[in-house]
């Protein structure tokens, strides 16, 4: 057999073996841990470990399922967090499916860098992220009000949404503590905000989404700016 034909043949054998191994590991995990439904198994290049995905949880085991490792795999040289990268990919959404009409939209400069942020009016980390992003130009920010932290979060979100200038009302409150001016009641989509957050798995604020669908949890402005910058080129 020529080398040209041998390479795809060996690749097919390797793929079939890997799939068989992954199926065996899946069966082993489900057999050892009663009630667990494994959503995915992937053989990793790290010390013969297999990645096990159960819901939103990632853990690792060996091919015989003799030990289970729960934690993060981090490259000792680059400090690259492989587990976090996988979690981001596994929890990615379709950005184009977000109902952007339910968000407060702010555009600065060309607006080429785009991000959607779920924010509670009383979230101190959201305020930190908003303040950090003030330094950024050429950015479009879609802010979904997500009132989950306090009983009064929903009322404050309604007041911001119903203000004549939503962008101003939002940033006045988040950055300067100024309450929105009293206006006539309007129909704020509080239930839709909450349903959307639940659908895309937002459990804390701030949660940000780049246009590739990947999420970043918390006020990690530097990481967020880097990601949306690469996507907005």
């Amino acid at each position: 057999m020529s080398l040209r034909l041998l390479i795809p043949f060996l690749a097919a054998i390797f793929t079939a073996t890997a799939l068989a191994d992954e199926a065996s590991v899946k069966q082993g995990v489900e057999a050892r841990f009663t009630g667990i439904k494994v959503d995915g198994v992937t053989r990793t290049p790290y010390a013969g470990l297999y990645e096990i995905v159960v819901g939103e949880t990632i853990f690792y085991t060996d091919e015989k399922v003799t030990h289970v490792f729960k934690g993060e795999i981090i490259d000792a040289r680059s400090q690259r967090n492989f587990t976090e990268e996988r979690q981001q990919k596994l929890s990615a959404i379709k950005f184009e499916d977000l109902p952007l009409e339910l968000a407060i939209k702010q555009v600065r400069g060309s607006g080429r860098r785009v991000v959607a942020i779920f924010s509670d009016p009383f979230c101190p980390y959201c305020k930190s992220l908003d303040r950090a992003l003030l330094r950024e130009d050429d950015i479009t920010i879609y802010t979904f009000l997500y009132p989950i932290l306090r009983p009064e979060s929903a009322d404050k979100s309604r007041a911001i949404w119903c203000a004549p200038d939503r962008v101003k009302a939002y940033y006045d409150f988040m950055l300067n503590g100024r309450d929105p001016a009293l206006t006539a009641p309007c129909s704020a989509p509080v239930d839709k905000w909450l349903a959307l957050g639940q659908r895309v798995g937002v459990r804390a604020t701030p949660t940000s989404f780049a246009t590739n669908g990947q999420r970043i949890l918390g006020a990690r402005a530097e990481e967020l700016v880097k990601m949306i910058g690469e996507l907005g080129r």
Side-chain angles (χ1 to χ4, degrees), residues 12 84 173 190 210:
E84 183 176 53
F173 183 74
V190 175

Side-chain angles (χ1 to χ4, degrees), residues 8-225:
F9 176 73
L10 292 175
I13 292 177
F14 176 81
T15 300
T17 302
L19 291 174
D21 290 345
E22 290 168 1
S24 175
V25 170
K26 180 178 185 292
Q27 292 174 357
V29 171
E30 292 181 339
R32 289 183 183 274
F33 299 94
T34 305
I36 278 187
K37 174 67 171 66
V38 174
D39 296 310
V41 177
T42 305
R43 186 178 184 177
T44 78
Y46 325 119
L49 293 177
Y50 287 77
E51 173 195 277
I52 313 298
V53 178
V54 177
E56 296 181 0
T57 301
I58 292 177
F59 60 92
Y60 304 92
T61 189
D62 58 284
E63 64 177 355
K64 300 296 184 183
V65 197
T66 52
H67 298 89
V68 171
F69 308 88
K70 193 171 186 301
E72 298 179 333
I73 295 178
I74 299 173
D75 187 293
R77 293 182 179 177
S78 67
Q79 304 300 305
R80 183 178 170 189
N81 190 322
F82 294 110
T83 303
E84 183 176 53
E85 288 179 7
R86 282 289 291 151
Q87 286 175 325
Q88 286 181 336
K89 289 180 180 178
L90 290 170
S91 64
I93 65 167
K94 289 185 177 181
F95 190 91
E96 60 270 22
D97 288 347
L98 290 175
L100 299 179
E101 70 278 5
L102 298 181
I104 297 171
K105 181 181 180 181
Q106 184 184 38
V107 181
R108 300 187 208 132
S110 68
R112 63 181 175 80
R113 299 180 295 168
V114 181
V115 63
I117 303 173
F118 283 73
S119 174
D120 184 292
F122 294 102
C123 166
Y125 301 105
C126 300
K127 296 176 182 181
S128 296
L129 181 59
D130 289 334
R131 188 167 285 107
L133 293 179
L134 278 179
R135 299 191 292 267
E136 302 301 321
D137 254 336
D138 297 328
I139 189 170
T140 299
I141 302 173
Y142 291 97
T143 301
F144 288 94
L145 296 170
Y146 195 51
I148 59 172
L149 295 183
R150 297 186 187 179
E152 58 268 36
S153 291
D155 288 339
K156 191 65 66 179
S157 296
R158 286 190 190 93
I160 292 170
W161 184 259
C162 293
D165 186 336
R166 292 169 182 165
V167 172
K168 184 177 185 304
Y170 175 78
Y171 284 102
D172 275 352
F173 183 74
M174 298 300 281
L175 303 181
N176 303 310
R178 284 197 213 99
D179 284 319
L182 294 175
T183 59
C186 77
S187 180
V190 175
D191 290 342
K192 291 182 179 179
W193 290 328
L194 295 174
L196 173 63
Q198 291 171 4
R199 178 166 63 82
V200 298
V202 176
R203 291 173 175 77
T205 55
T207 295
S208 306
F209 292 96
T211 53
N212 63 356
Q214 289 194 27
R215 75 183 67 203
I216 292 181
L217 304 179
R220 293 152 63 184
E222 184 177 345
E223 183 178 343
L224 178 60
V225 168

